[in-house]
Every structure is written in C-alpha cells, then in structure tokens.
C-alpha cells in the first residue's frame, strides 16, 4: 500500500539519476532510455546549457503572477509561434487542449467538436471528451455532450464536419493510439472541409512536436496550416509546461478574464523552454531527421523480417513496432529492462520508442539488436510452451 494513488501500475524500480540518454535506478543499474519520460526529455539528462539557464533563473525569481509583464514568456512565445500566431502558456498537454477547446467555442460561437478514435488529448474533462478510447472515458460520464468521435484516416469521417462544428482536434501521428500515421491526402481533406464549414482545425502536437519527428511540429511534414496548435512535453525538457498557439484572428477572442492559470509562463519553466528552443534549431532538427531515417532503415532490415513483428510505423524518433498477438508488449518491455533498455507501449500491442533526440546512433544500433534478440527469444519460448 502506498500513499500515492494507484493511478499507474509501476515497475519496481526508482530512477534516481541520469546522464546523456541514460538513466540509473536506485540499485545502481543503468538503462539506455528509449522513453524520454514519454517524449519529454528530448535533450537528455546532461544538457549543461539548459541546467545552467534553470540554475540562473532559480537564483533570481521562480514565480510571479500573470498580473505582471513577463519578458521571458514573451521571448519564448516569439520563438515558439509560427508567424501570425500567439501563445497561451499553461502547465501540461491536457491544459493546452482545454484552452484550445474553450477558445474554439468562444471564437466560433459553436459547440460541436469532431475527434478521432484512438486520438489521445488528455484526462481532464474537456480533453477526455475528445479522447477516443471508451475504456479511458468509462466511469466519468457525463462528459462534454457535443463530440462526434469518428474513425481516423477514414474519408467517411469527413461527413461529421459540418457548419455546426466548432473545431476538429487531431494528432497527425497518433501517439498513445499506436503510432498511427495520418495519410497526407486525408489530412488535407480534413483541413479543406474545416475551411469550407467555418470549423477550426486544432492539431495536437503534444507528443509529436518539439522536434520529435525531425520538424519542430509534425504537421510541417504535410504542409498543413492549423488554426491552433497544442504543445507540451518536450518544450521545457522535463519542467511542466504546455502551450496553446493560435492564429491571431482566433487568439483575439480570449480577453482578460476568459482564461487563466496561476503557474502558466512560470519563470523557471520559461528559462528552460527558452534554452530548449535555442537548441532546437534547423541544424539540430536535421540531425534528428537523419537519425530517424537511419533508424527506420535499420528497423525495416532487422525487425520487419521477424514473425512476431507485424509492422513498423512512425517518423523521426517516434517509432511504433507492432507485435503479433502471440507476444505481449508488456513481456517485451520487462525483458528489455533486464537488458538495460527502457521502452514504452502504445495501444494495439505496440512497442513504442521515444528516445531523447540526442541519443547516440551507436547506442540505438545496439538497442535494436537487443530488441530483435529479445523478441526472438520470447517468441521461441512461447512456441516451446505451445509445443509442450
Ligand atoms: C497527443 C497528446 N495530447 C495530450 C496529452 C496529455 O498531456 P499531459 O499528460 O501533459 O496532460 C498527451 C499525453 O500523453 C498526448 O500524447
């Protein structure tokens, strides 16, 4: 029995230290981290500039209220926003999506939302309403009533977007949903239908953004132009942050008193975000792109031929390795712990890799071999049991 609520089934070790792309547990065991704290610690655990920026800010002032001007938040917003957008800072991905939903209602005067099966947008009541998993919503009814939940990548889903729709919310690569990659044509059709019906397009970049796929935002791969973008996770390399970015024409509908947060734009968090954005420059993004291309090539060569692997999906350093039903992803994750590798799962028996973006290519290479061996050993063991 613990004194923290049982909201997660936790592995029986405590991570107490880290360096580069490695984490160390309370028994002194070292792991190559292919999780980045679920896509958060993109610059790993030794980035001296980020550490120094935070340390310098801690020496000055940690927190002010949003009643005073915040030059640091202003600078982060200027760097983070595409031209013609404005930012609202909050503390998490779910809060960024809450802000987007509220702003969509206020800006359009409409209340219907369209969202997609297996899209994940968070667990507060508004974002949970647009999260496409009945089992995650179960027990929390009534949620927001006017949400149409439709299949992802399905042309028929376009019919759900009408003149009554305030906003469509989607991830261009569904992360928790199993690394489901959106089809370019379909995404453009969704955007066109939004334009034709006066509907706002919200792209949730909480998992796929901040360089994860080799662009700052994954929608850049597709040339989309969302009305709103939500980000969080990697923005401050592990300090809690979220942001809603909205086109100025939409953002102007939030006026004083409409929305707020005590901690959003917190000085310490912004000091980390400012340094993250400085380092997330085109040269760095090109290294992520190149590492990602190499990684997918290796995965195709080394993992695709395995009987227990039914597919590989993703982009950049956002990877889904889809396993056959005969081999549970939980088993693979636990076996990899023994090998000193941390990985994640996603829906649909998917082994998910979200390494820190600074991960060493040679380390990744060794990890792929270990993942391949582990999958083969577990499949062979399963077969041996089946033969008995
Ligand atoms: C795409 C996406 N949106 C929103 C969220 C919620 O973010 P947070 O856990 O910071 O509230 C997540 C979390 O995994 C996510 O992957």
């Amino acid at each position: 029995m613990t004194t923290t609520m049982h909201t997660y089934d936790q592995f029986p070790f405590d991570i107490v230290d880290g360096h580069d792309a490695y984490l160390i547990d309370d028994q002194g065991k070292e792991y190559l981290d292919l999780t980045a704290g679920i896509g958060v610690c993109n610059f790993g655990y030794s980035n001296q500039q980020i550490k120094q920026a935070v340390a310098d800010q801690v020496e000055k002032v940690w927190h002010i209220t949003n009643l005073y001007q915040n030059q640091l938040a202003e600078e982060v917003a200027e760097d983070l926003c595409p031209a013609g957008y404005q930012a609202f800072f909050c503390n998490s991905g779910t809060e960024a999506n809450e802000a987007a939903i509220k702003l969509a209602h206020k800006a359009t005067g409409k209340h219907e939302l369209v969202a997609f099966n297996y899209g994940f947008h968070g667990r507060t009541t508004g974002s949970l309403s647009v999260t496409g998993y009945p089992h995650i919503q179960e027990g929390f009814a009534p949620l927001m009533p006017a949400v149409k939940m439709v299949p992802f990548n399905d042309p028929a889903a376009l019919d759900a977007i009408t003149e009554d729709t305030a906003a469509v919310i989607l991830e261009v690569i569904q992360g928790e949903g199993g690394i489901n990659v959106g089809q370019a044509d379909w995404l453009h059709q969704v955007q066109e239908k939004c334009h034709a019906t006066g509907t706002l397009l919200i792209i949730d970049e909480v998992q796929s953004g901040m360089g994860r796929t080799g662009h700052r935002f994954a929608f850049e791969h597709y040339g989309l132009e969302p009305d709103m973008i939500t980000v969080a996770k990697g923005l401050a390399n592990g300090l809690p942050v979220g942001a809603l970015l909205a086109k100025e024409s939409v953002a102007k509908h939030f006026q004083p008193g409409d929305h707020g947060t005590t901690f959003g734009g917190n000085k310490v968090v912004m000091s980390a975000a400012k340094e993250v954005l400085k380092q997330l420059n085109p040269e760095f993004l090109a290294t992520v792109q190149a590492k990602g291309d190499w990684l997918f090539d290796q995965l195709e060569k080394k993992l695709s031929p395995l009987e227990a692997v039914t597919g590989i999906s993703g982009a950049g350093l956002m990877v889904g390795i889809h396993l056959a039903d005969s081999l549970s992803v939980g088993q693979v994750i636990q076996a990899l712990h023994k090998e000193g590798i941390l990985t994640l799962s996603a829906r649909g028996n998917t082994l998910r890799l979200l390494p820190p973006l600074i991960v060493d290519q040679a380390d990744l290479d060794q990890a792929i071999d270990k993942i391949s061996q582990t999958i083969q050993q577990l499949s062979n063991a399963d077969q041996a049991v089946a033969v008995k």
Side-chain angles (χ1 to χ4, degrees), residues 124-199:
T124 48
T125 302
S127 66
L128 182 61
S129 306
V130 290
T131 284
Y133 294 77
H135 77 276
I136 294 181
Q137 294 184 336
E138 202 180 296
F140 302 107
L143 294 171
M144 288 185 2
V147 177
K148 289 185 190 162
M149 196 62 73
V150 292
F152 189 64
N153 271 338
D154 183 344
L158 298 174
D159 295 340
I161 307 167
T162 70
E163 312 276 325
D164 293 327
T165 316
V168 169
I169 183 164
L170 58 82
E171 299 158 87
V172 294
I173 303 177
Q174 292 185 328
E176 302 300 314
I179 315 292
N180 305 322
V181 179
Q183 288 158 10
D185 288 355
W186 181 76
L187 287 166
H188 277 277
Q189 284 163 15
V190 169
Q191 180 169 278
E192 276 159 32
K193 191 74 191 278
C194 285
H195 288 166
T197 54
T199 299

Side-chain angles (χ1 to χ4, degrees), residues 324-336:
D325 291 343
S326 54
L327 180 61
S328 103
V329 65
Q331 251 186 303
V332 176
I333 289 174
Q334 292 199 37
L336 286 170

Side-chain angles (χ1 to χ4, degrees), residues 294-326:
W294 170 87
L295 176 61
F296 275 91
D297 204 42
Q298 295 301 305
L299 292 170
E300 282 304 334
K301 277 193 199 126
K302 294 182 176 171
L303 293 192
S304 287
L306 305 183
E307 212 164 301
V309 173
T310 58
I312 308 280
S313 63
L317 294 178
M318 183 172 187
V319 178
I321 300 164
H322 305 275
L323 301 174
D325 291 343
S326 54

Side-chain angles (χ1 to χ4, degrees), residues 238-351:
L239 293 186
V241 69
L244 163 64
L245 318 181
K247 282 187 176 168
E248 282 159 10
S249 55
V250 178
K252 70 177 187 204
H253 292 275
F254 264 172
Q255 287 298 313
D258 284 337
H259 198 56
T261 156
T262 296
F263 289 118
N266 171 277
K267 293 265 187 188
V268 177
V269 174
M270 288 294 112
S271 69
K274 186 177 165 188
E275 188 56 41
V276 163
L277 288 166
K278 196 164 145 194
Q279 295 186 38
L280 201 70
N281 51 41
E283 296 73 41
F284 180 79
L285 290 170
T287 68
V288 177
Q289 187 91 61
K291 227 181 304 186
D293 290 348
W294 170 87
L295 176 61
F296 275 91
D297 204 42
Q298 295 301 305
L299 292 170
E300 282 304 334
K301 277 193 199 126
K302 294 182 176 171
L303 293 192
S304 287
L306 305 183
E307 212 164 301
V309 173
T310 58
I312 308 280
S313 63
L317 294 178
M318 183 172 187
V319 178
I321 300 164
H322 305 275
L323 301 174
D325 291 343
S326 54
L327 180 61
S328 103
V329 65
Q331 251 186 303
V332 176
I333 289 174
Q334 292 199 37
L336 286 170
H337 288 165
K338 295 200 183 110
E339 297 294 328
I341 299 176
L342 301 178
T343 55
L344 294 161
S345 63
R347 189 193 69 88
N349 211 27
T350 304
L351 184 68

